[in-house]
Amino acid sequence: MTNMNVVGKRVLRQDAFEKVVGGKGFPVNVRLPGMLHGKLLRSPYPHARIVRMDTARAEQMPGVKAVITPADVPQIPYNPIFFMPVTSAGLVRDMLILSDTVRFAGQPVAAIAAISAAIAEQALQMIEVDYEELPAVFDPDEATRDGAPEIHAGVKNNISDTPSFAIGDIEAGFREADHIFEGTYETPRVHTCYMEPRVCVADTDTNGHITIYSSIQHLFGLRERMAYALGLSVSQVKVVQPPYIGGGFGSKLDMVYAEPLAALLSARTRRPVRIKHTRYEDFITNARHPMKVYLKTGIRKDGTFCARYARTQCDTSAYASQGPVVIMVHAHYGLMLGYRSPHLKWEGKVVLTNNIPGGAFRGYGAPQACFAVESQIDEICEELGFDPIEFRLKNTPRRGDPHPFNPEWKLDTYALDECLARGAERIGWSQRARAGSSSSTKKRGIGMAAHPLWVSGCVGFPDIYEHSGAIIKLNVDGTANLSSATMDIGSGQNTVLCQIAAEELGLADGAVLMSPGSTDTLPFDAPTHASRGTYSSGNAVKVAAAAAKKRLLEVAAVIMEANADDLEVCNGVITVKGSPARSMSVADVVKRAESPYMVIGEQGPAPTVLEEKGTIMGLSSLAPSTNPSPAVAEFVEVEVDTETGQVKVLRAVYAHDLGRVINPAAAEGQVEGGLQQGIGFALMENMLFDPESGACLTSDFLDYKMPTAVEMPRHIESIFIESNEPSGPFGAKSLAEACLIVPAPAIANAIYNATGARIRSLPITPEKILKALGKL
Amino acid sequence: MKQLISLEVNGDRHEIAVEPDATLLEVLRDHLGLLGTKQGCDSGGCGCCTVHIGDRAVYSCMKYALSAQHQKITTIEGLGADGKLDAVQDAFVREGAVQCGYCTCGMIMTAKQLLHDDPHPDEDAIRHGIAGNLCRCTGYHKIVEAIRTAARD
């Protein structure tokens, strides 16, 4: 493992060269000949029935080519999420492409295609709609009371789902406890704020086949849902792979209304139709589920847990969508699995309201859980005088333990202990002052949080896709093209996958290039989510590369009159092991394989060897056999101005047991960006809505505040613990999400350390701090 | 009523018929096909659409195309020469400052103006200088490093 040429190197991102000069490959740049522009008419009411809709005036407007209303749309209820089979028993199918009932302010009710976006926008105003307003409810507590408005027929008290689980006897556990802690922790509705808007171009041919370009995190998920909701078969939908998209962070794991509507408008007009969201439309498309978590924890004198009870209320909003899935990940991988307890019990409630739909967001239910769990552990340690690091180690799994989610898996490469030890040393944990001991008005504090267990993909999760595929093809110049349906949403995953392929194939850095395809040409890949790209897609790429390498050496063996088992390839050169003089370049081998059968030489045409012939390639399609968990710890130092309530994060140290760093620069980039989203979640971000109309009030970046370069700490230190996971490509497990899961509780705990004020609801605004300090 | 306007973009003069309320961003992208300038919010909140008018970095979504006549406009496509990257573009590649890349062009245009006004900015000046450009991927750390590198080289 030590002699690697490409893996572990700070390789430059392939797509960066294109992105710094304009980034022509973004879906927002797709333009097709004859393309029309679509716009969606959206309901001003949060809950209403359409009584009458008249589109005549809009249709007569010059430049308008088609108007689509609920009557023109297949009424096939679907669930929009990409990563599960659309017919899964675990999904609620309660959405329609267009419906005559609207359940949130901003839900589309009609669509228009016109020769320009401006004309389409004007024409929207010409559609006459009479609504019968229905009573709406926005607060999940109110929504579950008897007599609350019914949002979906037959869903009693708007409770979509009430999952639960228990181990042991929770009441007996609390009877054993020497101390019991209780608390309720709340997290707000926050948006991913990907920079590239949701945009799609659909082109439907007269044979009923749809080709669609869209800014999404999963090609095959869109294909499956488009086909299902439109009543087509999957082969009638082709999703074209963009080389990259402008961020996603989970939000682009749902089919949005625009995608099937663009297809329907295109079918009607026989022209390509583009629909691009405005930023307001992006904000109301989906957001992280607000959750309220009640935690009750029983502790023995020795500092071990004896009972852990939790209850979660999740506002899944107007449609069930991701809610019943996100709450399960939240409960298992957020609340319960990370810390051992002989008795535990969790009860969840997924509530429908007339708010905007909930969606996936990096961390998928875990940031809400981690804020609760890690804040409460800090409270316990403060009150009972335990060292927060020793306390965590006492209650977490150890290396070699069976995995709490599936005992058949082992935590062979688990290294929370190292994350805690190295992070603590770097931040200067031992010099941390007692909480609230500073007498200055600007108080500094240090806090930490861990997330003992996270995922590398979704193996083991019911009904969630996990397999990946790859195709690798060698070229006569000694390079290779890699194709995979995985989407690089910004992380640098494609560069990492090319590094894995190059390392396995024995090619030099930069010799493997990613080549986009489509759902017609590529093997299936699960979405870019669940921290799975490097681990799962990386495994598939490595297997495809190994197959291509096997063929390469077979051909080389024929040419070099050697045994394939005696050959090795490194940096583009094949040699006979132990005889470096007998060598041949990969390029020369591929040239022979691709040459005509009869080659004209000095003696005239002569046949080549038949066994050499054929494109040298490898392909794969497989799911990983396991799901190795990384562990992480975050340490932050903050300064709280107790006069203004402002919090500055001065420094962050993040330690992550990721198995193997494939590309250090890309890995650091994940940590730094995750911290930024975590600081936003902790201190600033919160979508606001009008309490009467349910209208979104934070609909652009002037209203929705997220960290700029000024709010970010000057010092961000990433510590990567390389534990060499045997099931992962070159020892890698996952990275991308945990770095956003831990910052909020680490910051909250640091604020407590600085001021003595404990704040249990996010975001921790200056108002909340001043209130807690008795200054407001 | 459309009006015929004349814009000088990256040294080329274009005569274009535009609505009076057309933004410079719309005209660059939809009339001139200069797709490197990105639309992110249309409300002056994200900085993805930053271009130069003269030597000032401006949000092109906040500028009417009509009002940009008689001035030299530079977009990301106007940086670099002879097929080579500009020093700031090059530093963004080498420092790993590009992730999804959607903010990148606007960020580079802002960084260019920052370095024009202050060739050796300290970290605070860099951070305040790019505070009008949002990036959601990088945490800005490597962007700040890239601008420092470009200033040094």
Side-chain angles (χ1 to χ4, degrees), chain A residues 12-13 15-17 19-23 26 28-29 31 191-197 245-247 249 274 276 279 361 489-491 665 668-670 672-674 676-677 685 700-702 704 706-710 712-716, chain B residues 29-30 35-46 48 76-77 79 85 88-90 92-96 98-105 108 123-124 126-142 144:
Chain A
L12 298 183
R13 287 178 66 124
D15 54 2
F17 291 93
K19 286 172 175 174
V20 296
V21 297
F26 289 107
V28 78
N29 290 341
R31 271 130 176 85
H191 197 269
T192 57
C193 296
Y194 45 80
M195 283 288 125
E196 182 186 35
I245 64 168
F249 315 113
R274 174 181 194 253
K276 183 186 71 65
R279 187 51 68 175
F361 188 161
I489 65 175
S491 65
E668 289 159 11
Q670 287 297 290
E672 291 153 10
Q676 176 195 15
Q677 295 178 352
E685 297 177 30
D700 64 31
F701 294 123
L702 304 178
Y704 189 87
M706 60 189 201
T708 72
V710 174
M712 287 301 292
R714 304 298 189 261
H715 306 283
I716 307 173
Chain B
R29 286 186 60 83
D30 298 335
L35 300 175
T37 305
K38 303 299 187 308
Q39 180 270 340
C41 71
D42 277 330
S43 56
C46 73
C48 292
I76 192 78
E77 290 87 351
L79 298 193
L85 296 179
V88 179
Q89 290 171 315
D90 188 61
F92 269 61
V93 173
R94 287 184 202 283
E95 293 293 338
V98 179
Q99 287 195 26
C100 93
Y102 200 77
C103 74
T104 300
C105 295
I108 289 172
E123 181 167 351
D124 261 7
I126 295 174
R127 286 181 179 271
H128 283 94
I130 62 170
N133 290 69
L134 296 177
C135 167
R136 191 62 157 171
C137 294
T138 64
Y140 307 99
H141 198 73
K142 292 184 173 13
V144 173

Side-chain angles (χ1 to χ4, degrees), chain A residues 159-429:
Chain A
I159 298 171
S160 174
D161 198 9
T162 52
S164 65
F165 58 77
I167 293 173
D169 177 345
I170 193 72
E171 294 310 324
F174 282 118
R175 283 195 295 274
E176 283 172 32
D178 297 304
H179 308 276
I180 291 177
F181 285 77
E182 289 178 90
T184 298
Y185 305 84
E186 291 184 71
T187 57
R189 182 176 276 106
V190 291
H191 197 269
T192 57
C193 296
Y194 45 80
M195 283 288 125
E196 182 186 35
R198 288 295 294 246
V199 60
C200 64
V201 181
D203 192 7
T204 304
D205 71 15
T206 49
N207 201 17
H209 285 77
I210 299 164
T211 301
I212 184 158
Y213 307 76
S214 191
S215 187
I216 42 166
Q217 294 175 231
H218 191 208
L219 305 181
F220 284 91
L222 180 61
R223 181 177 79 159
E224 188 186 332
R225 254 129 292 267
M226 289 276 285
Y228 184 83
L230 292 169
L232 303 173
S233 87
V234 287
S235 62
Q236 288 175 282
V237 181
K238 171 167 126 182
V239 181
V240 180
Q241 185 179 34
Y244 38 78
I245 64 168
F249 315 113
S251 273
K252 296 174 180 174
L253 287 166
D254 287 339
M255 180 172 78
V256 291
Y257 295 106
E259 286 152 341
L261 285 168
L264 290 168
L265 289 166
S266 173
R268 185 72 77 81
T269 57
R270 296 185 181 175
R271 289 168 71 168
V273 174
R274 174 181 194 253
I275 301 181
K276 183 186 71 65
H277 277 184
T278 62
R279 187 51 68 175
Y280 159 70
E281 289 178 300
D282 279 325
F283 268 108
I284 63 167
T285 291
N286 56 32
R288 195 188 289 285
H289 297 81
M291 290 190 189
K292 186 154 79 173
V293 178
Y294 166 77
L295 280 187
K296 181 177 172 187
T297 305
I299 325 256
R300 300 188 194 95
K301 275 197 198 87
D302 65 358
T304 55
F305 290 131
C306 53
R308 299 184 67 218
Y309 172 77
R311 194 166 61 221
T312 303
Q313 179 171 278
C314 164
D315 177 1
T316 195
S317 322
Y319 295 95
S321 186
Q322 311 248 2
V325 188
V326 78
I327 201 169
M328 294 307 286
V329 176
H330 158 85
H332 286 92
Y333 273 94
L335 289 173
M336 288 304 190
L337 295 183
Y339 290 96
R340 279 180 281 121
S341 173
H343 307 285
L344 57 86
K345 184 175 181 183
W346 170 76
E347 295 173 292
K349 199 192 285 179
V350 180
V351 181
L352 292 158
T353 60
N354 293 108
N355 294 311
I356 61 151
F361 188 161
R362 196 174 182 180
Y364 204 63
Q368 298 97 316
C370 188
F371 173 61
V373 170
E374 297 296 309
S375 293
Q376 194 179 59
I377 288 177
D378 204 58
E379 294 170 33
I380 293 168
C381 292
E382 282 294 326
E383 189 160 328
L384 302 181
F386 291 118
D387 174 77
I389 291 172
E390 283 170 28
F391 182 87
R392 283 175 171 86
L393 285 173
K394 204 177 270 187
N395 288 291
T396 42
R398 295 192 182 89
R399 191 157 32 256
D401 280 358
H403 195 292
F405 189 68
N406 180 343
E408 287 177 18
W409 308 336
K410 295 281 177 288
L411 293 169
D412 290 331
T413 58
Y414 185 74
L416 180 65
D417 49 353
E418 269 191 77
C419 294
L420 289 168
R422 290 180 56 191
E425 189 193 354
R426 194 76 72 83
I427 199 87
W429 184 255

Side-chain angles (χ1 to χ4, degrees), chain B residues 21-81:
Chain B
D21 64 349
T23 65
L24 179 58
L25 171 63
E26 277 173 69
V27 170
L28 291 172
R29 286 186 60 83
D30 298 335
H31 294 250
L32 303 183
L34 293 168
L35 300 175
T37 305
K38 303 299 187 308
Q39 180 270 340
C41 71
D42 277 330
S43 56
C46 73
C48 292
C49 66
T50 306
V51 300
H52 290 181
I53 297 182
D55 58 9
R56 307 315 301 161
V58 299
Y59 294 154
S60 60
C61 75
M62 292 280 99
K63 189 88 186 160
Y64 289 125
L66 274 175
S67 70
Q69 296 188 90
H70 319 300
Q71 297 171 87
K72 287 181 194 304
I73 300 161
T74 310
T75 68
I76 192 78
E77 290 87 351
L79 298 193

Side-chain angles (χ1 to χ4, degrees), chain A residues 556-578:
Chain A
V558 174
I559 301 167
M560 295 167 78
E561 296 178 344
N563 189 328
D565 293 340
D566 295 334
L567 298 178
E568 60 188 359
V569 53
C570 183
N571 258 327
V573 179
I574 299 166
T575 46
V576 179
K577 285 176 201 163

